[in-house]
Each structure stands twice: as structure tokens, then as C-alpha cells.
Amino acid sequence: MEPHGRDEGKGPVLHIVVVGFHHKKGCQVEFSYPPLMPDEGHDSNLLPEEWKYLPFLALPDGAHNYQEDTVYFHLPPLSGDMKCVYGVSCYRQIEAKALKVRQADVTRETVQKSVCVLSRVPLYGLLQAKLQLITHAYFEEKDFSQISILKELFDHMNGSLRGSTLEGSQVYLGLSPRDLILHFRHKVLILFKLILLEKKVLFYVSPVNRLVGALMTVLSLFPGMIEHGLVDSSHYRPKSSVSEDLSLVESASGAEEFVSVSVTDIANTAMELEGVEAAQPAAESLSSGNSAESDNHLLKPPSQTSPESSESDWETLDPSVLEEAAPKEAAETELQDAFDSKPGTPITVQPQAVTQGGVTQGLVSGLEEDQYGLPLPIFTKGYLCLPYMALQQHHLLSDVTVRGFVAGATNILFHQQRHLSDAIVEVEEARIQIQDPELRKILSLTTADLRFADYLVKHVTENRDDVFLDGTGWEGGDEWIRAQFTLYLHSLLSSALQQDNERLLADYGAPFVTAWKISHNYRVWYSNKHPAMTAITPGSVQNSERGKKIGNAMMTTSRSVVQTGKAVGQSVGGALTSAKSAMSSWFSTLAQPPPVGPEPASEVKP
């Protein structure tokens, strides 16, 4: 595994840290190995200034309400370092009377502690799996002075993780797009496009493990993002004192109300739009502190707005919406048809397979990129990714050096400070609340978007009890879903390169594409050449006979090879690799130039 720190010779794990709650001092570091401060001992409470929020991240707010919890968090690089530090913390509490050795400072009925790993590599789920076992064993000792197990953990992790590669199933362990789609359904695509626009997005739910799981699963839909796209995602400056942080937290006024994002009702847009515009007063602009909103005056108003509709509109689509401009089978084949059948088109390639063509250092983005220029440089130049934010970090929401964020919070004060975010994602209710009416219009799903989302929901829900749900499946499974979002993003990028092609842009929403083109990530991506993009056919919805053949071949071959792989004890990755290899002959045959004459197809017009 590639070290993400300045010392290439060091292992992927930087420190093992124990954080406890002291009845007088609050959250504090009680043990670190190696010591967090080079000149201090293992039991020192001192921290580097850049990591002053570590105790509050590792031992989350409201943790006393749960017997155990897990936290993913990001720390800024230390002076001289260049990369994000990835933290995973396992929290537990135990009754004080159960301790074999009760120290003098234990004055409460329960003892709350977290064991956390600070790592150079974003292997959240893998680190969590190892850490949970050790945390359980550490608590079972009932004597927190027994720290030898923690030192062994450090040596074990560095020994077992060193030399691995940042790809494959280990990167996505514990992140399930299937569960995300079953919960959010069509709204997952709204979240995807919202982050492409680099808006200020706050996820909100308790406990923390649900919060970070949902947030990181959304990010896993962006090809290469978790592997290579988060290295600059935590470059922020801590305030000079923790007391200053809390002084900024005020009770919310509640003067402004959010309006839930709604799906465009294609059939009734013209009729309902008048009533909506007449009845809905103009909402106030977002706070001037939102630096990302400074570009809003450049955005053209959408040609088609999203009328207000109930939340149920998200969950159940009118079949006429999906069939309006295409036959029924189009909804089943739209993703396979997203690209023309040319050699090299990654229609069956798993998103994490960045070894295809390899990754190289981006000249402008500074990220490790694949041949398509992915991951997009979203989390760079002051756009933060903070899977969990402590209350002490509240000032970052209004920091002028922070141009945007995707962050998670469990404290109600974050939710109440609604003017500091462009969107609040209420995970429990699967609701996305957006304050700015113009942004709601920009994010309205087009007919093509709805058909893409319905395609995902259909396959995930129909395959819910399928034999493939043991983790080795393809169609409707986690890797399949990520592959579909890779196809979507490839095609979106290719379409955005087409000048003045209204039909192509309409598939994604012309207002959305216009807004996205002025984002930092698109401008950086566009400034470089990506030769592999020439193999991508623009346009999100196509319905060709060759596309159907490729789609059917992909599903049939993947299914049969996975079955065979299970029979002989192959791993998931091995089975899918075999499937991809077996598919090559299909592509060489199906990717031949089409016969002369019109190709039977149905063009979808929004």
C-alpha cells in the first residue's frame, strides 16, 4: 500500500490512540503509540496543534447514549506533511464497578473510552473490522493500564497492510450502495449531482456509524474518489482555542424553512409550474459567507423547473414518465446502452479497477488519476470532506477559507444553523432539504435521470432475495451499482465536451451542466487532456440493438462466472475479474461497425 505521509519508509498506520472522558477535563488523549508528541511519553495528553480536535472526534458528542459506536474522521496534515490523515475510532462504555483495576480519577458510574487508528490510507471498513476486535479485547481486560495489546495492534496493522494496493473490495468494506439505494431510492442521484456542484452538504443522523456509513457510501459512487480523491480533503486551520469554537454556536432562529427537493413531474410540468411560481414566494439568498454561491449570478435559470410535490413522488414514479419517449425495455437497458459498443468501453469494468491503464499524477489536480482523469478533483482547494464533525469544529461551516464541504454531524446545533449549508441530508428520513430555490431547479432530475435512477432502484429491489446477495453477485450488487455510476459520470463528462448540443445536455439538465462547468473540479478536469475519453460516446440514454446485446452478454456471463467462482471457492474479485476476461470475446464481436442503414433505436427527448 502506498504510504500517504512524507516518510515513504513508514507503514500505513501512524498511531494507535486511546481517548477517554475525564469528569473534570472532558475528552482527552490518555495513551498514544507511538507518542503523538515525539518528546512526550505514551501517556501524555498533549497534541499537535493541527490535531487539537482529535479527542472530540474520537469520542463523539452524545456517545453516552450508546453502548458502542464507530467514527470515521479526517485530520489535517501536520506541518510538512502533504496528505489527509484518516481516522477510525471504536467507542465503548463499561460500568465502573466491573473494572478489576479502578483508577482514582474514575468517579462516575460508567467509563467511556475510544480506541482509534490514525492512518495514511483510507481503508475505513478494514481498519474498523480489526479495531473492533481489539477494542472488545481491551475492554474485556477490565484494566485499562494493560496497553500491550494496543502496541501489538500497531505492529500487526502495519505488517498486514504494508504492500497492499488501494483497490478492490477492501477499500469498500462496509460501504453498501445497495442499502443506500434501498433507503434513498431516486434521491441518490440528487446527492451525486449535488456533490459534483461542490455545494455545502451536511449529513445529519445518529448514531455516528450510520452517519459516516451513509456519507462515505455516497462518495464511493464517484470512481476513484475514496482511493485517491480525498488526500487534500482536510486542509483546514483549527481555531486558536476550543472555547472560541463554542462561542460561535448559537441557537437557530428558525426564520427560514427548508423546502424538500422534488422530482420533476414530466407530464404535468407546464400546468403546475404556473401555480407553483405564483404561490411560492422567493426565498432569501444564502448567506454571503457561502463563497461557493458567489458564482450563482452566472447560472442561467433552468428552462424547466421542478414543481412542488410530495415526498412520495420520489418513491413511486409514474410509469408514463419512464415510457413517455421510449419503449418499456429502455428502462432496463439504458445503462448498458449508455456507451456505444466500441473496444475499450468500460461497460463491465468495476469502478475500483484503476489498474486499467494505471494511475498517474495529475498535472493540475495533483491527485492520482486514471486514464479518464478520475477521480474528479472535488475535495481540493478548500472543499472539505469531514465524515464526522465535532461541535468544536463548527466554525468551519462559515470559515472564509472553506469554499464548501461534505460533512456529517450528529449535534442538533449543526442542523439548526441551516443558513450555513446549501443542503441538509436527513439520513433517518431519507430527505434532502435545500434552501435555495434556484439550486432546487438546477438539481431537478430530467427524464433521462429518472430513467437511470429507476433502473438502479428496479434492479436493486427486484434482486433483493436473489442468490447473489451473499456478496458475490453482480447485477444489482454493490460493485454493479458503482459501475453504473461510473458509466453515468463517463457519459456526463463526454456530453459536457460537446459544444452547443442541446439534446445531449438536456439528458442531464442544461442548467445543471452550465452550473457544473464553472465548478472547480470540472475546470481542472477540462484543463487536461484525457485520451481515453475519445472512446466514450456522449449522451446518457441510447437504445441500440448492439447495446442490448452487450448488456445481455454482461449479465449472463457475469452471473455464470460468479456461480462457477463460488463453486470452486474463488474470491469475489477473482470471479468478477474472470467475468471481465470472459467478456472480451463478446466485445470484439459486438463492437464491429453497424451495418449500413438506420439502426433501430428510440431517442429519448426530455
Side-chain angles (χ1 to χ4, degrees), residues 78-97:
L78 296 179
S79 300
D81 284 338
M82 296 296 291
K83 308 300 181 184
C84 170
V85 174
Y86 308 94
V88 176
S89 174
C90 287
Y91 159 83
R92 291 194 68 179
Q93 61 175 320
I94 186 175
E95 291 186 353
K97 63 183 181 181

Side-chain angles (χ1 to χ4, degrees), residues 38-50:
D39 298 329
E40 299 290 334
H42 297 310
D43 57 352
S44 172
N45 304 134
L46 299 179
L47 288 164
E49 180 64 20
E50 295 86 348

Side-chain angles (χ1 to χ4, degrees), residues 324-349:
E324 177 183 345
K328 292 182 180 179
E329 60 267 20
E332 301 177 359
T333 60
E334 65 171 312
L335 267 298
Q336 292 90 348
D337 298 340
F339 303 132
D340 201 2
S341 49
K342 295 181 180 180
T345 301
I347 196 164
T348 61
V349 176

Side-chain angles (χ1 to χ4, degrees), residues 21 59 62-69 90-96 98-99 108-114 135 139-140 144:
F21 182 82
L59 197 59
H64 60 278
N65 294 318
Y66 302 93
Q67 283 298 115
E68 54 186 293
D69 204 355
C90 287
Y91 159 83
R92 291 194 68 179
Q93 61 175 320
I94 186 175
E95 291 186 353
L99 295 175
R108 296 192 172 193
E109 294 182 356
T110 60
V111 177
Q112 303 163 4
K113 293 186 188 293
S114 289
T135 303
F139 271 73
E140 284 300 306
F144 294 119

Side-chain angles (χ1 to χ4, degrees), residues 29 38 50 89 124 209 247 300 309 337 353 358 388 482 503 511 513 577 585:
V29 171
E50 295 86 348
S89 174
Y124 307 95
N209 68 82
S247 68
K300 296 180 181 178
S309 61
D337 298 340
Y388 172 70
R482 292 189 184 100
R503 184 187 65 82
V513 175
T577 301
S585 60

Side-chain angles (χ1 to χ4, degrees), residues 130-149:
K130 294 176 179 289
L131 188 58
Q132 282 179 327
L133 294 174
I134 297 300
T135 303
H136 178 78
Y138 183 52
F139 271 73
E140 284 300 306
E141 291 281 345
K142 297 182 174 59
D143 178 2
F144 294 119
S145 65
Q146 300 299 315
I147 57 176
S148 60
I149 191 174

Side-chain angles (χ1 to χ4, degrees), residues 423-443:
I424 292 182
V425 182
E426 297 177 346
V427 177
E428 180 70 34
E429 298 82 6
R431 182 165 56 232
I432 307 170
Q433 295 189 336
I434 295 180
Q435 187 174 1
D436 183 8
E438 184 173 6
L439 181 56
R440 292 200 301 272
K441 295 174 185 177
I442 291 171
L443 290 170

